[in-house]
Structure formats: C-alpha cells, structure tokens
Amino acid sequence: MRLLAWLWVAASWVAAASSLILTQIPNSVIVPENNSVSISCKGEAQNNQKAVFWYRQTNGTTDFQFLMHTSTIGRETHAKGIEQRFKTTLRSGPELCILKISMLKKEDSGMYYCTVLHDGIYTAARGTNLTVGELPPPPPPTTKPTKPKPKKPCHCSSGILKTKGFSCGSLVLGPLAAGAAALLVAVVSTLYYFSRLPKKCRHRMIKKKLLH
C-alpha cells in the first residue's frame, strides 16, 4: 500500500509537466446505499493509446488501494477482493473513462482517483470524494414575510384618542346615541305632561300659541 501511495504521488508530480490534464466529475457526491454512481475521468489525449488505473483512499488513511486497470483494448483487471460491481468504460475524446459502481455499500466510501498511462507518462487526477449514506434533508422552503395590513386613519381628536379604553368608533357613536336618548326622553316627557293637563287648559294653551 505504501508503494502504491508513492507511485500515485510520483504520477501527480509527472502530471505537472505532462500535457495531459485530468479532471474528475463530480468532485464530491453523496449516494444512498444500494444505488449506483458514475465517476467520469476527462482529459484531452492526442491518441487513444491509453490505459486507465483506478485507486481508492479510504477515509482516515493515507494508503491507496488499487481497484482495477483497463488496458488500451478495454480489458479489465480487478484487484483481489474487488467485486464485479466496479465497471469501467473507455471513451475517445475528452471523456477518457467512466467508472461505474453499482449496489453501493457503506464501505465503498472514500476518495477515488483516476490515473492514465499515456505516451509512457502517468497522469493522476485530483480525485472524487464518494460518501455512501443518507442524503441530507432538503432546506426548508423560503416564505416571504407577510406585511401587516395598514390601519385605517382615525379622524378623531388626537388628545381624546390618547385616553385609555377609547376608540375612534366609540367616540363617534357614543354622543350620537346619547343625543338620541335625550331627544326621546324629552318627547315622552312632553307627551306625558300634556296628557295630564285638563282639556280646557290644553285648549287655552294651544289657542294662545296660535294667537302668538
């Protein structure tokens, strides 16, 4: 494992001087168990004479585990203990190789690195961080804050409104109700007074009013 680590570091140093620049997509991904994931290794190779190696670095360790090798004719060679769930596909053009892992397990988590042998030079990519587990919950939906409805302006006297327990409606309706009640009492009192007078007195008062 230590030897593989030094080989990968050496490939990274050579990649700095190489014309072939590799990139892996995605940089990081979280996939639930029993699902599949595809990691793409891209780079501009001048010809199709290339071999691809895949390595894995388990979280918390510095050792690199060799997974598989795909020859220039597309023949796959798996490391001992690596299941057939790991498959590679060679491509021509910018997308050099695709690693597909099916039926993911938690122990598949780690950093996956693509290394390409092209024109006698090993070139290594920066890697893809694969996490096998539950997806994080989605963020809560954003809701716009509701603006409070503006209160209708009150045209009452500002000094009276400051009195505790009064409102604009009560200050307007209160005097009206009191006036109507006073008018009703005056009418009832007048009718009662006239009903108690003798008929002669009533005729005289009415006649006197008519003469005036």
Side-chain angles (χ1 to χ4, degrees):
M1 293 299 177
R2 297 285 182 183
L3 179 61
L4 289 176
W6 281 109
L7 288 175
W8 187 86
V9 172
S12 300
W13 288 345
V14 173
S18 175
S19 60
L20 178 61
I21 300 176
L22 296 179
T23 57
Q24 283 184 217
I25 299 174
N27 295 326
S28 180
V29 62
I30 302 176
V31 185
E33 284 188 271
N34 301 320
N35 281 262
S36 300
V37 66
S38 295
I39 302 174
S40 176
C41 183
K42 294 187 176 183
E44 291 287 349
Q46 295 180 356
N47 55 62
N48 293 329
Q49 297 300 315
K50 58 185 180 295
V52 181
F53 302 81
W54 287 94
Y55 299 89
R56 177 173 62 193
Q57 185 182 21
T58 307
N59 295 333
T61 65
T62 57
D63 295 333
F64 290 83
Q65 178 188 7
F66 169 70
L67 298 176
M68 58 189 305
H69 160 250
T70 306
S71 66
T72 56
I73 60 175
R75 180 177 296 175
E76 292 182 352
T77 302
H78 291 78
K80 187 178 181 180
I82 299 301
E83 306 173 31
Q84 296 295 323
R85 298 183 296 112
F86 294 77
K87 294 287 184 181
T88 57
T89 304
L90 290 179
R91 298 286 182 89
S92 59
E95 196 169 37
L96 301 179
C97 182
I98 295 177
L99 171 65
K100 183 177 181 180
I101 310 172
S102 58
M103 296 299 294
L104 284 167
K105 304 176 182 179
K106 285 189 175 181
E107 53 265 30
D108 294 330
S109 298
M111 288 290 296
Y112 286 77
Y113 296 93
C114 167
T115 302
V116 175
L117 175 60
H118 179 255
D119 290 340
I121 299 176
Y122 286 94
T123 305
R126 293 186 177 274
T128 296
N129 185 15
L130 170 63
T131 302
V132 180
E134 294 295 329
L135 294 174
T142 55
T143 56
K144 295 182 179 180
T146 56
K147 295 182 179 179
K149 295 182 179 180
K151 295 182 179 180
K152 294 183 179 181
C154 185
H155 301 287
C156 303
S157 175
S158 58
I160 300 175
L161 284 177
K162 293 180 180 179
T163 305
K164 186 177 180 180
F166 286 91
S167 62
C168 183
S170 62
L171 291 175
V172 173
L173 296 177
L176 291 176
L183 181 60
L184 181 61
V185 171
V187 172
V188 172
S189 300
T190 304
L191 293 175
Y192 179 77
Y193 175 76
F194 274 97
S195 65
R196 301 290 295 178
L197 288 175
K199 289 184 179 181
K200 291 182 179 181
C201 293
R202 277 184 282 177
H203 290 309
R204 287 177 184 175
M205 290 181 68
I206 293 171
K207 188 176 180 179
K208 190 176 181 180
K209 287 182 179 182
L210 290 175
L211 291 174
H212 289 288

